[in-house]
């Protein structure tokens, strides 16, 4: 592969600096503080030059989101891979605990990805879509290895592949060839239970009700894993 030209290296370095500056604004003040003109001013760039890198605020936020998705996905993968594939309960618990830990360490990035999605439109670039898929596949792995008990409330398991987004379904089935539509639906339910308490905690809604949200979350996670037909470990 030929070496990158000076112009290409400069563009790569400037893009990284723009994203680092935007991330600083995001972390310190939230997504609403990410403004192209403000970032250009901080970097001493003319707006016309800046817009040749990111022509809209949404494009810049999408790039930040893609980076955050990749960072979160890598964090979760590392946590799961600390346990062998033969220990699905330990992998599921590790994933859930790592999800909360990352969110507490990166609350503004977490809001950008999830809580802030309705307020902050994202541009669906190949880069951001691939990063989001990588994150979702970790949850699908947990559901694909589960053996949940039959539902006591008679909830439907009559899902078909047509019930799900076709692009991601193709990726999920290629990654997990034995995946079934009910298992893919289960992955969304698993995510919902992990995500719910974390979102309440990030938004400051749990602390007035309980002194130790960590214990509450761990209890919920253990109950979730048992419901998946897995045996929680004492790790």
């Amino acid at each position: 592969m030929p070496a990158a030209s000076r112009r290409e290296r400069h563009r790569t370095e400037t893009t990284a600096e723009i994203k680092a500056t935007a991330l600083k604004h995001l972390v310190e003040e939230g997504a609403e503080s990410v403004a192209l003109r403000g970032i250009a001013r901080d970097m001493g760039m003319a707006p016309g030059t800046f817009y040749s890198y990111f022509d809209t605020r949404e494009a810049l936020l999408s790039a930040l989101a893609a980076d955050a998705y990749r960072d979160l996905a890598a964090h979760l993968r590392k946590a799961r891979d600390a346990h062998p594939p033969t220990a699905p309960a330990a992998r599921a618990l590790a994933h859930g605990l790592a999800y909360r830990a990352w969110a507490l360490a990166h609350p503004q990035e977490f809001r950008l990805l999830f809580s802030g999605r309705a307020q902050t439109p994202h541009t669906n670039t190949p880069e951001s879509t691939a990063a989001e898929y990588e994150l979702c596949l970790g949850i699908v792995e947990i559901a694909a290895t589960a053996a949940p008990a039959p539902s006591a409330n008679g909830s439907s398991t009559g899902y078909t592949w047509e019930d799900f987004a076709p692009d991601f379904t193709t990726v999920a089935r290629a990654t997990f060839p034995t995946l079934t539509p009910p298992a893919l639906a289960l992955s969304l339910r698993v995510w919902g239970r992990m995500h719910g308490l974390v979102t309440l905690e990030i938004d400051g809604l749990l602390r007035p009700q309980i002194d130790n949200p960590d214990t509450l979350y761990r209890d919920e996670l253990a109950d979730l894993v048992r419901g998946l037909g897995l045996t929680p470990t004492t790790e």
Side-chain angles (χ1 to χ4, degrees):
M1 180 181 294
S5 68
R6 183 186 299 272
R7 182 186 296 273
E8 290 168 337
R9 291 197 303 273
H10 176 73
R11 184 170 184 85
T12 298
E13 292 167 359
T14 302
T15 299
E17 185 180 355
I18 290 171
K19 290 198 296 182
T21 304
L23 181 61
K24 183 175 184 293
H25 283 246
L26 173 73
V27 169
E28 293 179 352
E29 303 176 59
E32 65 279 0
S33 70
V34 178
L36 300 190
R37 287 187 175 274
I39 295 167
R41 183 173 59 250
D42 287 355
M43 294 179 61
M45 291 179 68
T49 302
F50 185 93
Y51 293 148
S52 69
Y53 289 87
F54 293 99
D55 59 352
T56 66
R57 177 175 180 272
E58 287 70 28
L60 178 54
L61 288 172
S62 181
L64 294 182
D67 288 347
Y69 274 125
R70 275 192 297 273
D71 186 64
L72 174 54
H75 182 72
L76 298 178
R77 182 173 60 252
K78 181 178 179 180
R80 291 194 306 274
D81 288 349
H83 307 276
T86 54
R91 288 174 68 86
L93 285 168
H95 180 109
L97 292 173
Y99 187 77
R100 175 175 178 265
W102 189 92
L104 292 177
H106 304 86
Q108 295 294 5
E109 294 98 313
F110 186 82
R111 291 188 181 99
L112 175 68
L113 296 183
F114 304 117
S115 301
R117 178 173 290 275
Q119 292 78 32
T120 308
H122 293 172
T123 303
N124 292 321
T125 64
E127 180 185 46
S128 62
T129 299
E132 187 172 358
Y133 282 0
E134 182 183 1
L135 177 61
C136 293
L137 287 173
I139 294 284
V140 175
E141 178 202 311
I142 294 170
T145 58
S151 174
N153 63 9
S155 61
S156 171
T157 58
Y159 298 98
T160 69
W161 293 121
E162 286 69 30
D163 293 322
F164 305 98
D167 290 345
F168 178 67
T169 297
T170 299
V171 173
R173 295 180 72 181
T175 307
F176 303 100
T178 62
L179 187 69
T180 64
L184 189 54
L186 179 62
S187 71
L188 296 175
R189 293 165 54 201
V190 169
W191 178 42
R193 289 186 64 177
M194 290 183 179
H195 184 76
L197 284 178
V198 171
T199 299
L200 290 174
E201 185 175 2
I202 290 296
D203 288 344
L205 299 177
L206 278 185
R207 283 288 179 182
Q209 312 300 329
I210 187 168
D211 289 335
N212 191 353
D214 179 71
T215 299
L216 187 70
Y217 184 78
R218 287 175 181 269
D219 284 345
E220 174 69 0
L221 195 58
D223 184 69
L224 168 61
V225 171
R226 283 192 295 269
L228 293 173
L230 306 174
T231 303
T233 68
T234 57
E235 290 183 281

